[in-house]
Amino acid sequence: MLHGVDVSSNNSSYSAKNQDFVFVKATEGRSYINPYQNAQAAKAREAGCVVGFYHFLWPGNIAAQARYFVEKCASVQGDVLICDWERTREGTYATNAQKDQFLVEVSKLRPTAHRIVLYCNRDFWLHHDTTSYAADGLWIADYVTAGKPRIKAKWLFHQYTDQPLDTNVANFSNKAALKKWAHAA
């Protein structure tokens, strides 16, 4: 198992030491941009990590959100692009069809050089998802033993705790395999 963290503007300072990958929140909806994303990604790149960027999906205006994400995230070729599908602060969430549309739109906007991944928690995967569409891979949040999420679906990344920050494992044999996968799109 490989190890990684995901960070947002709440983690303006973090350590990429001993990490294999770092996923950085880039955008949310159609108006928020993480002001630290460039510095957070640079720290991860300096540590030799695979880098990914995620967009917190809101319901509505899906094509516009996809455009906003790919235009505002600090990605370079080989970075993973991620749809973060969960409840908003208001308790709303994008529908399953909107989640699928976002993944497809990002794939159309970035047809090469990026893997596209779905992030969601176990509850969303089991009770809101109806298509099992996760583009190039599933990143599942389930706060149990690392690498043992309680789902039957094939997953690539597992967020298993949020203490002291969001901590994850990846289902790749080594960092070279993860890098090869990330750059194969």
Side-chain angles (χ1 to χ4, degrees):
M1 289 279 151
L2 301 180
H3 299 276
V5 295
D6 60 279
V7 296
S8 68
S9 61
N10 296 325
N11 314 106
S12 58
S13 176
Y14 78 98
S15 175
K17 185 178 178 183
N18 299 321
Q19 301 300 325
D20 300 299
F21 61 96
V22 174
F23 295 156
V24 177
K25 181 175 184 177
T27 54
E28 181 173 332
R30 292 180 299 135
S31 61
Y32 175 79
I33 300 171
N34 174 0
Y36 305 111
Q37 70 171 309
N38 289 311
Q40 289 168 322
K43 183 182 287 191
R45 292 185 208 294
E46 288 169 14
C49 297
V50 169
V51 174
F53 291 91
Y54 64 93
H55 173 81
F56 190 101
L57 186 64
W58 280 67
N61 300 302
I62 302 303
Q65 286 188 71
R67 281 191 307 276
Y68 186 76
F69 173 49
V70 299
E71 290 170 2
K72 303 300 183 186
C73 79
S75 68
V76 298
Q77 184 172 351
D79 287 347
V80 180
L81 300 179
I82 304 155
C83 173
D84 179 353
W85 183 42
E86 58 186 298
R87 289 187 191 281
T88 66
R89 288 177 296 282
E90 288 78 21
T92 62
Y93 57 90
T95 66
N96 186 84
Q98 290 173 326
K99 173 266 294 182
D100 289 355
Q101 180 189 355
F102 183 84
L103 293 167
V104 169
E105 292 289 334
V106 171
S107 295
K108 286 179 186 175
L109 294 166
R110 292 290 184 267
T112 59
H114 296 284
R115 291 289 189 168
I116 314 298
V117 169
L118 171 67
Y119 167 90
C120 67
N121 61 41
R122 179 176 180 263
D123 176 64
F124 266 57
W125 187 252
L126 296 177
H127 302 114
H128 298 291
D129 181 78
T130 58
T131 62
S132 299
Y133 182 63
D136 295 318
L138 177 62
W139 173 19
I140 192 76
D142 188 20
Y143 292 178
V144 293
T145 303
K148 303 224 182 268
R150 296 167 296 165
I151 61 170
K152 292 180 182 175
K154 182 180 176 189
W155 56 272
L156 294 179
F157 304 95
H158 174 210
Q159 182 184 87
Y160 63 91
T161 186
D162 61 359
Q163 299 299 321
L165 72 158
D166 291 345
T167 308
N168 307 270
V169 292
N171 196 11
F172 291 86
S173 58
N174 54 48
K175 192 187 282 190
L178 174 57
K179 285 184 177 186
K180 182 178 180 183
W181 173 83
H183 287 272

